[in-house]
Amino acid sequence: MAGQTEIITQEQLEIQREYSEKVLAYWTEQGRVPSVYADTYGCQQNEADSERMLGMLREMGYVRQEEAEGADLVLINTCSVREHAEQRVFGNVGALTHTKRRHPEQKIFLTGCMAGEDRVVARLKKSYPYVSAVFTSHAQWRLPELVWKALTENSRQFVTPETGNIAEGLPVERLGSLKGWVSVMYGCNNFCTYCIVPHVRGRERSRQPEDVIREVRDMIAAGYKDITLLGQNVNSYGKDLGLHVDFADLLSELSALEGDFLLRFMTSHPKDASGKLFDAMAASPKIAKHLHLPFQAGNNRVLRAMNRGYTAEKYLSLVEQAREAMPELVLTSDVIVGFPGETEAEFEDTLRLVETVGFDALFTFIYSPRAGTPAAEMPDPFSRQEKQVWFDRLLEAQNRISQERHSAYVGKTFRVLIDGTEGDSLTARTDGGRLVRLEGPASYVGSFRNVTVTGSTTWSLTGRLEEA
């Protein structure tokens, strides 16, 4: 578990820059340009972390490629939130034995949440001898040093510090040109009984407001139109800074920046959501009217067992408050079905809450035990098959609700960001994150346009451009 926050100093970063220069010189002497294949699992925070590591690698001379075959470095950024993701990682790492055999000089690095679990590190040490380096998210700022040692020393590296940290000024290679991520904080203090994140990512650590503002301003200047602020619990932003600045304040400051852009954020925790946040969202057209507010379960006993810190009644009150401030709000959430000890009657409470709220969309999961969490040790008398029946009922209900809510869009006009193409069609996102397919010139990609919705399905909308 992470200890106190460490602020990475300029002196420490300068040492890493010196390693970066050494790596660049190494490849220059070899007379070729090295390549990296990055394989990222899990949440948007992992995506943002990978972009920073790719930025560091770019400064070391590496260029990205789209497959592991022949890459000089394979960088695997892992997720340990669910067992399925973890098993996929082990399977894909196992498959790298073939590329390593064909390219003996290939270096394989594994980082992210799985690298913070002792049992995973022990398994990698024993059964995957071709993995060159294993390091936690806390050590990612030391990537140049790890690369240099992998190239020049005949030894494996395992760097798993327990102290969470913040390193500013790292280079970034963003993988998109319209949409981008900005981490406002790291870690989590909530210790939900099913969740491994606080154990592998550490306690909450907020970035200084001026550093966040500077990064967002730079992204706007570079042409980014859709910027998502990230944190395991963004609503806790600022509590550790002692500056009397909370997430609503930060959001308001960012929305006041000049430019044509839209701000989103992930993820909000209900116990810390507030009317102040909802008012800040409502006050600015540059803040998306989309709230992802995970409720996880609709039964109060289950919520207590999860250590969620709120009741179903409190959650419903927050939804009412948010919709009062923003009648057009798009509301999405996460739900876990079959938490240890959850009965069918308790699941029915979850189903009732879903029907009462009428979410635009849900991210739904059957409970997956994570070793090292309290929930993994709880009695769990119900079978996977029984939980699957409940899960299917939940999906059926939410699909119906999503279709109903989408059908209400038909005939209305929205300002959308044209974000790409799909065959001969354009794709776009509404303020609330709903996917819209429409016809129009490819030159419109990257611009905000007014679109009238002409049709709907459970998952998406179709629209018609309204020319100014």
Side-chain angles (χ1 to χ4, degrees), residues 43-45 182-188 205 228-235 237 247 265-269:
C43 66
Q44 294 95 336
Q45 184 62 67
V182 175
S183 298
V184 303
M185 63 183 300
Y186 307 95
C188 184
R205 308 175 308 281
T228 302
L229 310 177
L230 298 178
Q232 263 74 38
N233 175 15
V234 292
N235 296 342
Y237 174 82
F247 184 63
F265 57 90
M266 296 278 279
T267 290
S268 290
H269 195 296

Side-chain angles (χ1 to χ4, degrees), residues 272-287:
D272 298 312
S274 67
K276 182 179 178 182
L277 172 63
F278 304 149
D279 290 342
M281 293 173 66
S284 175
K286 294 182 180 179
I287 302 174

Side-chain angles (χ1 to χ4, degrees), residues 324-346:
E324 184 176 347
M326 297 167 284
E328 73 277 37
L329 180 69
V330 169
L331 188 64
T332 59
S333 191
D334 296 345
V335 186
I336 296 173
V337 173
F339 184 79
E342 182 180 40
T343 65
E344 185 171 7
E346 289 169 334

